[in-house]
Amino acid sequence: MSPSARDARLLRWLAFAAGLASAVLILIVLFLMQESWPVIARYGLVHFVSARGWHPTEGTFNLVPMLAASAATSALAIALATPLGVAAAIFSRFYAAGIVGRLLHWVIVLLAGIPSVVLGLWGLTVIVPLILKVAPPGTSLLAGSLILALMILPTIALTTEAALASLPSAYGIGAAALGLSREAIIINIAIPATKASIFAGVMLASARALGETMAVLMVSGNVVQLPKSLFDPVRTLTANIALEMAYATGDHRASLFVSGLALTAVVLALAAVARRSGGQVVHA
Amino acid sequence: MTITGESEGLVEAVDGKAYTVGPLLSGPPCCRPETQIRVDGLSLGYGGKPALKDVSLDIYRGCITALIGPSGCGKTSLLSCLNRLTDLIPGCRVEGRIMLDGADIHSSGVDVQALRQRVGMIFQKPNPFPLSIRRNLEMPLKEHGITGRSELAARVERSLVDVGLWDEVKDRLDGAALSLSGGQQQRLCMARALVLEPEILLMDEPCSALDPLSSAVVEDLIETLRGRYTVVIVTHNLGQARRIANYAAFFWVNDRAGTLIEFDQCRRLFEQPRHQLTAAYVRGLRG
């Protein structure tokens, strides 16, 4: 076979693989739309935020408690993980010399590798009893947020670290030659120069937090209610789908697809924002 | 305009010549043969490999001293010793003494940040920070404890006038420094060093990454620094060294370590070199 024919064949295969990958995404979104359509057509979108509670067998599908739970656990997790992740990245980049920095880097990478069900197990046996001592029942919004924070910490730390590493060394040397302290370099140059990437990392972490199911399901208590305090048990959108999918039928089943569709839309939007702000996608 | 004292002379100078340095014109007489930096038996190595061996030379106050020689002969290493930037290089070992106005810069009590404020540095590749033009100049000042708004503004303006950049950027001080051209960026970097009012400026091939026109502008600018600042410049451009330097030091690689072959007044080094290697190098036969 001539080189140009080989090249053409390779091109066909690559185009097929690329097409397949994008087709799957489109098919999944179409499938979600199709499955959720019956209930949207019957009740209208407003129903999902205005109905009297979540009583799927009686035909009321208010998703607000689940939406609120997802938003609250993710927001709290982001609030906890962002300063920690950025601080860890700055420490490993600027302060931890040699072996300590490499060790810290690997610990963060390994943390990203822990399966979420294992984190959930750990949360259930360690975090939940601790919270129980403060305020029962232990399984709560707070427990879910803490576990989520642990899960997304590596995403934020690794994107920040990669962004800091991509800064030209000329900035650091130039700043040192001006007699600037390390602290001044970090605050005045490194962080402003990487804030778009840090923001992108936080957006990706938010997407991951919103989509996470198993660990939150295990530690958050799964009561459908608007949380009034950090210690209230809550049920996230994802947990709701996982818990009810097995037995849901008809409109109930379709309403779960509505939550799936909403979740997918938010996560894709966050990923798009992350991409626009110039961050690189680091899947932790 | 809030430039004090010599402002009248300054305005004239700016009108007369595009890239004149302002207050410097009324500075001390040009180039006195008075030692400001004494390098004494300096050796330097990276991770056990010698890069510079037993270099001794005097750098004179207010003069321009050029360091010339082939690549890898330790010129930049010597330069980095003078502001202790070598401290940042892992595995870099420095022996010997560097006396700045009679005080050893390596002695334990030395405040390295204050030393680097006195001894500024310009790099081969312009390295303005990814901030606005104004922040590039104000930030180092603030870090060195100057916070008064009017003084900040005055010093920013004076340093930009000094490098001939004021008229080009005065209307976009809050624009990104990285949007400037290469030559403008390099002059901004010089302004950033000057704004801290250093005594000595180290320059590591400051023109080599610039196009010929920008290079000429920067060279003219360096020339105008003579007298107010002590300048040590590494250059591969022998013509440039010859045009601007008062003193020149020629380095060569011996046994894989850089050594100082000859140090003399620039004209003598080029016209009556005492060493054969120097003669061959300046005539373009070697290196």
Side-chain angles (χ1 to χ4, degrees), chain A:
Chain A
M1 196 186 294
S2 73
S4 66
R6 270 212 305 271
D7 187 55
R9 197 173 64 165
L10 179 65
L11 175 67
R12 274 201 302 280
W13 273 105
L14 293 175
F16 172 73
L20 191 67
S22 14
V24 166
L25 173 74
I26 293 166
L27 285 176
I28 287 177
V29 173
L30 286 178
F31 173 73
L32 281 174
M33 286 175 166
Q34 189 201 346
E35 292 295 316
S36 49
W37 182 246
V39 72
I40 295 177
R42 180 167 320 161
Y43 295 95
L45 277 175
V46 178
H47 174 88
F48 295 98
V49 293
S50 65
R52 286 176 306 100
W54 174 258
H55 306 291
T57 49
E58 296 155 27
T60 53
F61 305 105
N62 189 342
L63 293 174
V64 169
M66 274 85 87
L67 282 168
S70 281
T73 44
S74 299
L76 194 56
I78 288 291
L80 292 169
T82 302
L84 277 177
V86 172
I90 288 173
F91 178 77
S92 97
R93 193 72 207 150
F94 289 98
Y95 290 88
I99 186 102
V100 183
R102 281 204 296 280
L103 215 61
L104 180 67
H105 176 83
W106 279 110
V107 166
I108 293 173
V109 169
L110 288 177
L111 180 59
I114 297 181
S116 70
V117 68
V118 174
L119 273 177
L121 213 52
W122 178 77
L124 198 58
T125 49
V126 177
I127 300 287
V128 169
L130 281 176
I131 296 175
L132 177 65
K133 280 186 195 160
V134 183
T139 50
S140 56
L141 169 58
L142 181 62
S145 303
L146 288 174
I147 292 300
L148 271 185
L150 218 51
M151 294 190 63
I152 61 176
L153 178 70
T155 309
I156 295 175
L158 294 176
T159 44
T160 305
E161 202 181 64
L164 291 174
S166 72
L167 281 181
S169 62
Y171 293 158
I173 295 168
L178 289 166
L180 300 184
S181 63
R182 190 160 51 180
E183 179 203 354
I185 296 172
I186 293 168
I187 293 175
N188 294 310
I189 301 163
I191 292 181
T194 53
K195 62 175 186 246
S197 303
I198 296 175
F199 176 73
V202 170
M203 287 300 107
L204 289 172
S206 311
R208 179 150 196 250
L210 281 173
E212 171 53 32
T213 310
M214 188 42 87
V216 233
L217 184 149
M218 291 169 79
V219 300
S220 313
N222 304 315
V223 179
V224 182
Q225 61 172 349
L226 274 174
K228 288 179 190 62
S229 89
L230 290 177
F231 301 103
D232 282 350
V234 292
R235 182 189 292 191
T236 61
L237 270 184
T238 48
N240 189 49
I241 298 173
L243 288 166
E244 301 191 357
M245 203 61 215
Y247 62 84
T249 52
D251 284 349
H252 181 197
R253 182 173 177 278
S255 74
L256 296 182
F257 277 99
V258 174
S259 18
L261 191 62
L263 207 57
T264 309
V266 173
V267 168
L268 288 182
L270 284 172
V273 170
R275 196 164 165 79
R276 273 189 75 101
S277 59
Q280 56 215 111
V281 178
V282 176
H283 277 293

Side-chain angles (χ1 to χ4, degrees), chain A residues 167 170-182 184 187-189 192-193, chain B residues 83 85 88 113 116 121 123 127-131 135 139-140 143-144 178 192 196:
Chain A
L167 281 181
Y171 293 158
I173 295 168
L178 289 166
L180 300 184
S181 63
R182 190 160 51 180
I187 293 175
N188 294 310
I189 301 163
Chain B
N83 64 351
L85 217 52
L88 302 179
Q113 278 159 253
R116 290 179 185 154
M121 192 163 189
F123 295 85
N127 59 346
F129 301 131
L131 309 169
R135 282 279 294 156
M139 190 265 287
E143 290 302 322
H144 283 283
L178 294 178
R192 193 175 62 186
L196 294 175

Side-chain angles (χ1 to χ4, degrees), chain B residues 45-278:
Chain B
Y46 299 107
K49 284 187 197 145
L52 205 57
K53 220 164 89 188
D54 198 24
V55 171
S56 299
L57 82 159
D58 285 1
I59 288 162
Y60 297 114
R61 192 182 302 279
C63 302
I64 298 177
T65 303
L67 310 181
I68 60 173
S71 300
C73 67
K75 306 181 299 290
T76 299
S77 296
L78 172 59
L79 212 59
S80 309
C81 284
L82 300 180
N83 64 351
R84 285 185 56 180
L85 217 52
T86 43
D87 291 10
L88 302 179
I89 305 169
C92 178
R93 215 181 127 74
V94 180
E95 285 163 42
R97 287 195 310 173
I98 297 172
M99 311 295 282
L100 171 55
D101 285 331
D104 190 342
I105 66 166
H106 284 105
S107 73
S108 56
V110 170
D111 176 350
V112 181
Q113 278 159 253
L115 170 74
R116 290 179 185 154
Q117 182 267 312
R118 278 180 78 188
V119 186
M121 192 163 189
I122 318 292
F123 295 85
Q124 178 173 10
K125 202 164 165 284
N127 59 346
F129 301 131
L131 309 169
S132 71
I133 295 168
R134 190 199 307 276
R135 282 279 294 156
N136 259 282
L137 301 169
E138 277 186 353
M139 190 265 287
L141 280 174
K142 285 180 180 164
E143 290 302 322
H144 283 283
I146 291 143
T147 52
R149 285 183 85 176
S150 58
E151 184 174 5
L152 283 174
R155 282 177 73 161
V156 165
E157 178 172 343
R158 190 159 54 208
S159 68
L160 286 172
V161 171
D162 278 355
V163 299
L165 208 51
W166 176 251
D167 287 331
E168 293 164 51
V169 303
K170 65 182 174 200
D171 300 321
R172 50 169 173 150
L173 286 177
D174 294 309
L178 294 178
S179 68
L180 297 172
S181 74
Q184 287 175 323
Q185 287 190 13
Q186 191 63 305
R187 280 185 285 146
L188 178 64
C189 290
M190 296 182 80
R192 193 175 62 186
L194 293 179
V195 81
L196 294 175
E197 297 181 352
E199 300 166 37
I200 298 158
L201 285 172
L202 311 175
M203 303 187 182
D204 189 1
E205 300 185 51
C207 298
S208 65
L210 306 179
D211 65 81
L213 275 178
S214 310
S215 169
V217 170
V218 171
E219 189 180 308
D220 286 351
L221 173 59
I222 297 167
E223 181 118 44
T224 62
L225 299 173
R226 192 199 319 273
R228 188 164 60 168
Y229 303 98
T230 304
V231 174
V232 186
I233 179 170
V234 169
T235 179
H236 281 125
N237 181 338
L238 293 181
Q240 180 177 66
R242 208 170 175 159
R243 284 192 295 275
I244 63 175
N246 304 101
Y247 291 88
F250 172 63
F251 291 79
W252 189 258
V253 186
N254 270 344
D255 293 334
R256 273 178 279 167
T259 44
L260 175 63
I261 302 294
E262 188 166 346
F263 174 69
D264 210 331
Q265 288 181 18
C266 188
R267 187 181 302 171
R268 274 230 294 272
L269 188 120
F270 275 94
E271 289 170 7
Q272 300 145 2
R274 285 166 293 164
H275 200 289
Q276 275 191 344
L277 269 173
T278 319

